[in-house]
Amino acid sequence: MKNLELAWILEEIGDLLDLQGENPFKVRAYRRAARTIELLPEDIEAVWRRGELGKVEGIGKALEEKINEWLSTGVMTYHAELKAQLPPGLRELTRVPGVGPKLAQRLYRELGIRNLDELEAACREQRLRHLKGLGPRTEENILRGIERLRRQMERFPLGLALPVAQQLVRALAALPVVQRVALAGSLRRGRETVGDVDIVASSPDPEPVMEAFVRTPGVEQVLARGDTKASIVLRTGLQVDLRVVRDDQFAAALHHFTGSKEHNVLLRELAQTKGLKISEYGIVRVDDDEVLAVATEADVFAAVGLPYIPPELREDGSEIAAAREGRLPELITVGDMKGDLHVHSDWSDGLDTIEAMALAARERGYEYIAITDHSPSLSVARGLDPARLEEQLREIDRLNRQLAGIRILSGCEVDILRDGTLDLPDELLARLDVVVASVHSAMGLDEREMTDRIVAAMRNPHVDIIGHPTGRILGRREPYAVDMERIIQVAAETGTCLEINASPDRLDLNDVYARWAHARGVMIVVNTDAHSTEGLDQMGYGVTVARRAWLGKADVLNCLPWPELKARLKDGRT
Ligand SMILES: [Zn+2]
Ligand SMILES: [Zn+2]
């Protein structure tokens, strides 16, 4: 399968265009195509051979020609030319917090800075402060950013690692000699970033499995290749480890390599008290060395008298005590989601029409979808002023009369201005079904001001949800300074829901805050913040965070059917 390699190229084109200050819609189009191809269940080459590239969502005429060229010659001229126009390290510069494509471009043109090391040196030599608009603070911030980035570069965000890992698992599963194969490690536990990917497979004949694995397209380096264990590094820098075991050892191996370490240590201790020894090879009765047969992970837990513990809960060991005391929650699943309450359409910065978003929601089995486009102050995102929002309300009415099987809720993602006021009038907010309020500007306020600002928004009688409450972008932007304890307390007081933004770049709230908020009686909502139909598929990432926060479907607002949801929204209460 060449899907991953192609996706990687398209992603790089998007980044390079961004660096050149290209139109953001063009940049998005490439990133979107990359994502589509990455998730495509079929080999792109097969689609191409049938002449059906143009039928793949997001692949237009121009892109079709480029992919055609790449698949027939192995080269994409456009990609090669773009790459030649800029030094290779420049893309990395934009990952430093505070260095956008524009600044990276300037640093290159005006100071000749081509990569992270040169940027670091320039800051230390205080050369940036001589550029217009930059000063000593910029240098300090960039140095801090570089340090943070270097730490993060050793870890991969879930959203990058998971699709790749799933594709590898599918490829291995397709080998006739493989009996079972599954993801393990922190990725299976749903950690927001992972150091590497672990895969466990069972087979009576490991050799061909190893062979197929090290020949995965996109492998840059084979770190190790033994009889039953191999490690590869993909071109993206992601390391993947595979272990192949006998099928009767699969369950124990899967459990062992899923971890966490703390979980495994405590489970082994519990096993000892029952005269058992648990290892990656299986479970042995200490008395007579009898090996207990364990066919599934549930059998592993049952052997020590526990119910099955889902991987997302296997973290600090407290899950084992909870399991012993029968306190494990019935965790939420993607299938419990009744709708999405934060999505954008092409009325603001989304790519698809309201109708397309609604139909995509219906296709995913949802009962409702809230269209929450941006408000006027976010002019870069073409935020809607009151007149256009009125117009959108009429369009939603019209579509609701026309479409069956899905309810479109009216809404907006209203900006919380610096002083805590909102940039749409209350009378208008009162008429919307769902109001999400978010911070998109002045993120450098101190903790007190930022907290007061969000608290003021929660006290607005029409604000139902605080969107992406800490504002972080994984690997790019730290959360803003905010007193989460107070936010959670006021959310509980005012009946405002806090969002788990499911976009894998955000995952905001994170698992810890979400669990904390739930414990204080705050209703959580899991939204994708989709800017296109396929963005709706990112719900799973948010649900993973919710599961790691020990949440069940009763704890999440958009697991409620519409009448009950309506009663929970501020304007729906009487
Ligand atoms: Zn937002
Ligand atoms: Zn949004």
Side-chain angles (χ1 to χ4, degrees), residues 342 344 372 374 413 440 468 529 531:
H342 179 176
H344 298 270
T372 56
H374 290 289
E413 181 180 16
H440 293 115
H468 42 76
D529 199 355
H531 284 71

Side-chain angles (χ1 to χ4, degrees), residues 63-84:
L63 190 51
E64 189 180 342
E65 277 166 22
K66 295 184 180 88
I67 296 174
N68 184 27
E69 183 200 3
W70 183 70
L71 284 172
S72 38
T73 66
V75 179
M76 193 186 293
T77 315
Y78 183 62
H79 176 234
E81 282 173 1
L82 273 177
K83 264 174 61 168

Side-chain angles (χ1 to χ4, degrees), residues 152-163:
Q152 281 161 359
M153 274 160 68
E154 289 150 28
R155 295 190 67 80
F156 278 77
L158 178 66
L160 252 173
L162 189 62

Side-chain angles (χ1 to χ4, degrees), residues 46 55 98 187 192 228 285 304:
K55 288 189 186 163
L187 195 55
E192 63 191 32
T228 59
R285 200 157 53 212
V304 292

